[in-house]
Each structure stands twice: as C-alpha cells, then as structure tokens.
Amino acid sequence: MNPNRLIKETSPYLLQHATNPVNWFPWCEDAFKEAKERDVPVILSIGYSSCHWCHVMESESFEDPITAEIMNQNFVSIKVDREERPDLDSIYMSAVQSMSGQGGWPLTVFLTPDKLPFFGGTYFPPQPKHGMPSFTQLLKSIIDAYKNRKEDIKTTSKQITEHVSKISIPTPNENQHSPISITDNAYNNLVNEFDHDNGGFGKTLKFPQPQIFDFLLSYHYQNPTSKALQMVEKSLNAIISGGIYDHIGGGIHRYSTEPTWTIPHFEKMLYDNALIVPVLIQCYTITQNSKFKLAALDILSYLEDEMMDPDTHLFFTAQDADTDGEEGKYYTWTKNCLSQKLNPDELNTLEQNFEITSEGNFENKTILRYSTNNSNNGFLSLDPIIVKIRSKLKDLRSQKTRPFTDEKHITSWNSLASQAFLLSYLHLGIEKHLKIANENVKSILKISEHNNGLFRSFKQNKVSGYAFLEDYSSLINTVITLHEATLDTSWLKKSIELTDTMIELFYDSDRNIFIDSPINGEELITQPINLYDNATPSGISEAVKALQKLYSITDKSIYLDILISQFNITTSFIGDFPSGFSNWLKILLMHYTDTVQVCLLSYDPVSVSEMRKYLYKKFIPNKVVVGNAYFSIKNDRIESLSPLFEERCPESGVATVFICNNYQCELPSTSLDSLENSIFGTKSA
C-alpha cells in the first residue's frame, strides 16, 4: 500500500497513520482548498502517539478499507498531533465540549471547508454499542446532512464558533476577593475533595496532580497548622508505593483507573514525571523523609536513562501503554513467571515487600505495589538484596517488547524536565543534574537560533513550527532557575530577553490578556486562550509566574502591570475550582507574601557554592535568588539587570550574601553562621 501525505511528517503520531488507506492530510491550507473545490466536509482527527484509544480507533476504523473508502470519497481527512498543535486541540476540544459536554482523545470533529466545527465527539466504535452509533453510521449521517441540510450546518457551525470565541475571552470581574480568602477557599475545597483513605483527589480515576501538591506545600508554609502537608504526604506515599509507580524502571504512569492507585493506564508522559519530582524534593526538604528523596532521584534516573537523547540532552515526549497490542503487557507479571526466574529466597523477599498473589490484581497478572503501612520502601530500598532483585527483574523485563517511545522533543515539556533536574541540584546537590539541565537548555536555544526563533517540537533535525505561549513561559522559568543554580548573569539576561519577546508575541494589550498562539501567527477561527492548569500548567499561569519572579528581581513596572491584569481576570473564580487552577493559586499565594530577595556575589563559583547550598536547607517558597559568581569591579553592566546588584560587591574579597526585602537589605553575610541567622530567621518549613 502506498503511504499517504503523512509520510513526509516527523511526528511519530502522524507517521503511525502514514500507511492507513485513508488519504490523510496534515493540517494545511491545501486540505481546506480541496474540501472547497470538492464541496465536502472535513474530518479532523486529533490524538497523540501514546493514546490507547487513538490506537484502538485506528485499528478498528482507519485501517479498515471499507471505512477508508467512505472517508476518501465523501470527506477531506486531516490528522493532527495535539502535542505539536495545542492551539488547534484547544479550539476544537472546546467546540466538542460545548456540543457534547465531554471531550477526550481521539478527538473527532467535522468541519466546514472554512474550518468551522458543526459536529464532534471522541472515540466512535466500528459497531453500535453503549448507545453510540458506529463510526460508519456517523459518517453516513454527516454525508446526508451536508448534502441535504447544508444551510442548517452553516448556521450551527457559526453558532458553535461564536460560543467558543466567547468562552475564550473572559472579562475581568470587579467583585474581587482578597488573596487570603481566595487561597483559603481553595484549600477548604481541596480538603473536601480529598480522598482521606487513599490519598489524592477523585473517586474513580486518580491523576497524580502534582500542581495541587505544589500549591498545598506553599499553603502549608503560610499555614503550618493546616492539613495541607498531611494531604501531600499521604498522596505521595500512595503514589510511589502504588501500581501507578513503575517499581522496576522508575517513573509514574499517566493515571490510576481506580481509587487505590493500583491499576494504572500504563502510558508514561514526560510532563507527569517532570512535575512530580519538584514536589517530592520539596516534601523531602520539609519532612526529611528519605522515601521522597529516593523516589525523586529514581524518577530522574528513569528520565535520564530512557527519556533523554544522550547527545543533545533533549527529552522525549512519551512511552506507550501498549506492547504487542496489549495494554500493560510490559509492566505486569505472573507469580508463575516470578517463581521460575527468582530463587526461593529472592521470591520470599519479594513477597515480603510487595503484594503478590496467584490471582494477581490485573487480568490474572500482577502489577507490583506495596502497602503504605509497610516500613520498607519497596525497590527504593538501599538493601543490597532488594537492589539485586530489582536489577534481575529489570533484566528480565528488557527481554520483552519495549513500549514505543515518542522521540520528538517539545520545548515546554523539556523545560519542565530541566526544572526538575535543577531542583535536584539545588536541594540535593547532584552536580550531574545541573549539567543535564544546562545542556538541555543550550540545545533548545541552539536549535532556535538555526530556525528563526523558539520552536514547538523538534525531531530528525526539523522543527514542527513556531513555539506557543507555554513553550516561552516554561522555558523562561527554567532559565531563571538556571541563573539561580549557576549565578551566571548571562542566564538572567537571557530570561529577560525571552520575557520581552514573549510579551511582544503573545500579549494582547487591547484586551489585557495573553494569547496561547502568537498574535501574528496562523489565522484560526478564534484565538486560543487557555486559563486552566490541566496536566501541565497553562501557558498564561507560567507566564505570570515568570513575570512575578522577574518583577521581584528587576523592579520593572511593566511586569507587575501585566501580571496584575491577569489576576484581575482569574481571581474571582480560581478559588472555587482549585484542581483546575492550582498553579495560579500557588503564584497568587506567593505574590501577596513578602518576597525574600537573596543576592549572592563572589569572584568565583567555588567560593560561593557552600553559601548557595545553605539557602536550600529549608523550604522557603517565597524567595528569589540572583547572583554573580564571576564578579568583577570593571563589569558594571549587571547593575542594569537588577537593583539588587547596585553598589554591592563581595565583602573583603569573599563570597557574600545579601538578604533583602523590597530591595532594602540586611547587613551582608560572609559566613554560614551569619547566613543562618539571616535567612532562617525568616519563617521556613
């Protein structure tokens, strides 16, 4: 069979469909031109490479010659990788949700040749079931409607598009609540939603939701008598002991299909693992519970070993749930297999540490998990016998068919991963992790220089297209942290340059809001504006986080003005829906807390390293750190970067730390003792 047009793409998801009998187009003007010339509707199918139900619908419908013939004769069919085009996914997901009240992937949307949606859904089966029509029945209904009721379709499509445009443009609410009341309301709502038996949030599906935990840890910092820390500890313990955690290879799966964290949906996403590491490290910093540190390092080892290109230090996107057409096959065991591969003592030790039965806990197989009541740490244990058993099982598993890895590199997700490695360096002192983050960011910037600007994704020496707001804002936050870790002022300068570019490209000054795609980018049916923190932080909330940090560093009023304008839009409702706005809530909480400004100055990075390490002994989420580890009296250009640098230099030629509030600084500290009194006189957790 001859491949279709998708064979020229680099997206693994699109390439998976390149040999379908469907005459797929990628998203392009040629597709809509053909639809107009033929006067046929468009099928827009959106998914991603590790999506289980996307694979199911492909095998049932898109690989079926009869279904493909109906599509080819009566439609123009377009495939989109949602990870490459989050703007299209956002717009058309909103349209489907407004029509059906639900969404998901694969996303199936029917459009007019003018790109306007008039009907949609998600997965459709090959035969009618559960009250759903078959996909071919749906196709025939759409064909009939387009031929015989075209005016009705035009009216419907315009109404849907107008509705999507309106919900994309929120208006500021004049009835603003105080930040304390908003975050208290959010906390109380989370307490009510919390699963006090199993940890986490939700009664059926359980997502890790690390952004909620991040907010709760900051809330605990402000309210140490609250239950916030207990909620995070219970949840993290349940996650890293449960089946959602890959006890052999490290890392977490996408979500649990039931409340006890035992049976996961087995795909692994870069962003889930990147986002949970900082929470684990911060929880370790607060509690000194070594299990959290060990889990964080285990996940970072997984990312380094399985999800990173060793040459560029760029991270891959995801790993599939399925192997050999079976979900979870790579990750599950039978007791019979374990009995054959381990000697009796090893099997006995494994059974003492994990819940293993002949019946299994998933389709007569076992997903490894251990009880949170168990004092051991499962395979996070440093016991040599446990380490040996894990190594043996890892070797055995390597003989199975490995899950497919989507090897494209997404800028925003790479930035989140680098942030995790940087926090490991700052809090745990792992030097290798600083190098990984440093090389990762350098690779992103090098590719950008060769491609006329920041990119969305990169694979096989090709970029998919321009970057979106989330790519800029996530990268900016990582570059700020890279400055914090290296005290190299070139990174601070780069973060300011990127922020000014972000404002120029994405900030709509007429409506006082950030747009998710560049204002001068491709013309779409509406401009996408996504306020929600979903599995990843929204591009807007990450932009506000960057502006908050840089305002505290630079004192630039434009940064403050823009971040306040974004809060004016969101603060009236984020406290009522904390699970959808947890990154916003953390930023709001920190913005209205006095910021601890820390300035470190030294003539060389070695002499300042001990002082910097000391800053991360305790959890102080409201601190910002700037510095110059390469100080020179002749270099006065750094004063333009931050007022914190003005008229300050290392005292007596040694590394010096200034602790400030609103640019008013205490006496400088040149020893660990004086720093302890200064920084930890501040409230810390």
Side-chain angles (χ1 to χ4, degrees):
M1 181 182 297
N2 292 328
N4 55 50
R5 296 170 185 84
L6 301 184
I7 197 66
K8 296 181 180 179
E9 300 298 307
T10 59
S11 159
Y13 176 64
L14 299 187
L15 289 171
Q16 287 169 357
H17 293 267
T19 56
N20 293 166
V22 177
N23 293 332
W24 292 113
F25 281 82
W27 179 273
C28 61
E29 288 304 318
D30 286 348
F32 294 100
K33 180 180 179 183
E34 179 168 320
K36 288 178 181 178
E37 291 173 350
R38 290 171 50 196
D39 192 21
V40 294
V42 172
I43 299 175
L44 174 61
S45 177
I46 302 178
Y48 56 104
S49 69
S50 58
C51 165
H52 172 72
W53 286 103
C54 298
H55 297 322
V56 172
M57 192 164 177
E58 178 189 18
S59 64
E60 292 175 344
S61 296
F62 303 144
E63 291 179 348
D64 175 54
I66 296 174
T67 304
E69 185 176 4
I70 296 173
M71 294 172 69
N72 294 338
Q73 289 183 356
N74 299 279
F75 299 88
V76 168
S77 301
I78 297 176
K79 259 287 171 197
V80 166
D81 182 340
R82 68 174 294 261
E83 294 167 351
E84 285 192 340
R85 292 300 303 265
D87 54 340
L88 298 176
D89 184 56
S90 175
I91 290 170
Y92 292 106
M93 180 66 76
S94 294
V96 169
Q97 289 173 331
S98 69
M99 286 184 268
S100 66
Q102 60 185 10
W105 300 277
L107 187 66
T108 307
V109 198
F110 294 90
L111 315 179
T112 69
D114 293 321
K115 307 177 185 176
L116 305 183
F118 62 87
F119 188 79
T122 54
Y123 164 79
F124 290 97
Q127 303 295 331
K129 63 179 180 180
H130 305 310
M132 296 173 63
S134 73
F135 188 53
T136 52
Q137 285 177 328
L138 176 63
L139 294 177
K140 290 174 182 178
S141 296
I142 297 294
I143 293 165
D144 175 70
Y146 195 81
K147 286 181 178 178
N148 300 311
R149 298 187 297 279
K150 192 175 293 184
E151 289 304 314
D152 291 342
I153 284 177
K154 287 182 179 179
T155 301
T156 298
S157 66
K158 288 180 181 178
Q159 290 173 342
I160 293 169
T161 303
E162 288 173 2
H163 177 71
V164 171
S165 298
K166 287 178 181 177
I167 63 176
S168 294
I169 309 172
T171 55
N173 192 312
E174 294 181 0
N175 299 320
Q176 298 292 337
H177 301 288
S178 72
I180 292 176
S181 66
I182 293 168
T183 52
D184 284 348
N185 181 38
Y187 164 74
N188 289 326
N189 283 325
L190 289 172
V191 170
N192 292 333
E193 295 170 15
F194 186 65
D195 182 341
H196 294 275
D197 294 323
N198 302 297
F201 302 89
K203 296 180 180 178
T204 51
L205 299 180
K206 280 279 185 67
F207 288 84
Q209 297 181 290
Q211 296 175 80
I212 292 180
F213 304 148
D214 193 27
F215 162 67
L216 286 173
L217 290 180
S218 294
Y219 189 86
H220 161 75
Y221 173 78
Q222 297 285 30
N223 303 274
T225 60
S226 71
K227 297 178 181 178
L229 179 60
Q230 296 169 253
M231 293 160 69
V232 176
E233 286 188 274
K234 186 174 185 66
S235 301
L236 291 179
N237 270 310
I239 290 168
I240 62 181
S241 65
I244 193 173
Y245 194 90
D246 179 3
H247 294 279
I248 302 299
I252 59 172
H253 298 291
R254 183 70 192 90
Y255 59 86
S256 175
T257 62
E258 44 69 56
T260 68
W261 305 98
T262 300
I263 303 172
H265 179 47
F266 289 92
E267 67 184 307
K268 282 180 169 181
M269 307 301 296
L270 173 62
Y271 55 73
D272 285 324
N273 288 281
L275 286 167
I276 202 165
V277 167
V279 174
L280 286 164
I281 291 173
Q282 290 166 2
C283 202
Y284 164 72
T285 303
I286 296 168
T287 66
Q288 293 299 294
N289 184 336
S290 62
K291 181 186 289 188
F292 300 137
K293 177 178 76 171
L294 293 170
L297 294 176
D298 196 49
I299 294 171
L300 291 174
S301 293
Y302 156 69
L303 292 180
E304 181 184 358
D305 295 342
E306 295 193 32
M307 295 290 282
M308 187 181 79
D309 181 329
D311 295 325
T312 62
H313 293 82
L314 292 172
F315 295 100
F316 305 135
T317 297
Q319 290 179 320
D320 264 11
D322 305 5
T323 52
D324 301 328
E326 182 179 329
E327 184 176 6
K329 183 177 181 180
Y330 184 72
Y331 300 102
T332 54
W333 304 85
T334 63
K335 186 169 183 180
N336 184 48
C337 172
L338 293 170
S339 300
Q340 292 176 359
K341 302 300 183 181
L342 300 177
N343 66 44
D345 288 341
E346 290 171 337
L347 182 61
N348 182 54
T349 300
L350 186 66
E351 290 178 325
Q352 288 176 0
N353 285 273
F354 289 89
E355 300 170 0
I356 298 172
T357 63
S358 299
E359 301 79 23
N361 52 22
F362 174 69
E363 299 177 356
N364 297 316
K365 296 179 181 179
T366 292
I367 301 167
L368 291 178
R369 63 159 293 144
Y370 62 90
S371 170
T372 54
N373 296 324
N374 197 333
S375 59
N376 69 58
N377 293 338
F379 282 137
L380 298 177
S381 170
L382 302 178
D383 183 320
I385 298 174
I386 299 293
V387 172
K388 181 181 178 181
I389 295 172
R390 186 187 199 190
S391 178
K392 197 169 184 178
L393 292 180
K394 197 170 187 178
D395 289 342
L396 287 170
R397 194 171 78 170
S398 69
Q399 298 170 21
K400 298 183 182 182
T401 303
R402 292 176 61 84
F404 173 78
T405 299
D406 185 329
E407 294 187 349
K408 68 177 180 288
H409 310 293
I410 295 176
T411 295
S412 61
W413 300 4
N414 268 257
S415 301
L416 295 174
S418 278
Q419 187 83 272
F421 279 89
L422 286 170
L423 283 211
S424 171
Y425 169 72
L426 289 168
H427 286 267
L428 307 179
I430 311 296
E431 293 280 347
K432 178 176 69 169
H433 291 167
L434 172 61
K435 179 183 177 183
I436 288 172
N438 202 340
E439 293 301 319
N440 175 270
V441 173
K442 284 182 177 178
S443 291
I444 291 172
L445 295 176
K446 183 177 180 181
I447 294 166
S448 300
E449 289 170 4
H450 294 161
N451 289 278
N452 300 314
L454 199 59
F455 58 94
R456 172 59 182 174
S457 75
F458 177 77
K459 188 174 183 289
Q460 297 176 349
N461 289 319
K462 290 175 65 177
V463 299
S464 66
Y466 50 67
F468 297 94
L469 176 62
E470 67 177 84
D471 299 305
Y472 271 89
S473 55
S474 296
L475 179 60
I476 291 165
N477 282 304
T478 298
V479 172
I480 294 170
T481 308
L482 195 51
H483 165 70
E484 189 175 335
T486 62
L487 303 180
D488 182 342
T489 55
S490 66
W491 289 120
L492 179 56
K493 182 180 180 183
K494 174 57 71 174
S495 70
I496 295 169
E497 290 175 357
L498 287 167
T499 299
D500 292 343
T501 301
M502 177 182 73
I503 292 170
E504 180 183 348
L505 291 176
F506 298 96
Y507 187 64
D508 184 337
S509 56
D510 293 330
R511 293 183 292 174
N512 294 322
I513 195 166
F514 279 108
I515 309 299
D516 286 321
S517 57
I519 292 171
N520 60 354
E522 178 184 351
E523 186 174 350
L524 303 173
I525 62 171
T526 187
Q527 290 180 310
I529 300 172
N530 180 29
L531 295 169
Y532 287 93
D533 298 317
N534 293 307
T536 57
S538 72
I540 304 182
S541 70
E542 281 290 281
V544 172
K545 181 195 292 184
L547 292 172
Q548 180 196 51
K549 291 179 182 176
L550 287 177
Y551 170 67
S552 295
I553 292 169
T554 66
D555 201 30
K556 281 191 174 184
S557 60
I558 185 174
Y559 296 164
L560 178 63
D561 293 342
I562 293 175
L563 78 87
I564 288 177
S565 72
Q566 307 311 283
F567 278 140
N568 287 342
I569 292 169
T570 59
T571 50
S572 63
F573 52 80
I574 59 176
D576 295 329
F577 307 102
S579 61
F581 298 98
S582 44
N583 197 41
W584 282 100
L585 288 161
K586 159 70 178 292
I587 301 161
L588 180 69
L589 188 63
M590 291 300 97
H591 182 64
Y592 289 98
T593 302
D594 286 342
T595 301
V596 180
Q597 298 166 314
V598 182
C599 179
L600 297 94
L601 299 174
S602 173
Y603 291 104
D604 66 272
V606 175
S607 64
V608 79
S609 61
E610 287 301 316
M611 303 283 270
R612 180 181 51 212
K613 288 177 185 177
Y614 216 68
L615 292 172
Y616 301 92
K617 281 181 59 179
K618 295 187 180 179
F619 179 62
I620 307 177
N622 59 322
K623 71 175 182 295
V624 294
V625 178
V626 296
N628 182 10
Y630 307 88
F631 190 86
S632 169
I633 298 295
K634 296 179 181 178
N635 184 5
D636 59 357
R637 289 175 296 174
I638 66 166
E639 293 193 359
S640 64
L641 299 176
S642 172
L644 293 168
F645 290 135
E646 291 178 3
E647 298 181 358
R648 294 194 175 95
C649 63
E651 296 281 319
S652 306
V654 298
T656 305
V657 182
F658 298 87
I659 307 298
C660 314
N661 179 272
N662 196 25
Y663 308 101
Q664 301 299 309
C665 300
E666 299 175 10
L667 292 173
S669 300
T670 56
S671 69
L672 295 182
D673 287 342
S674 60
L675 179 59
E676 165 114 30
N677 294 331
S678 182
I679 186 70
F680 296 144
T682 301
K683 180 174 65 172
S684 59

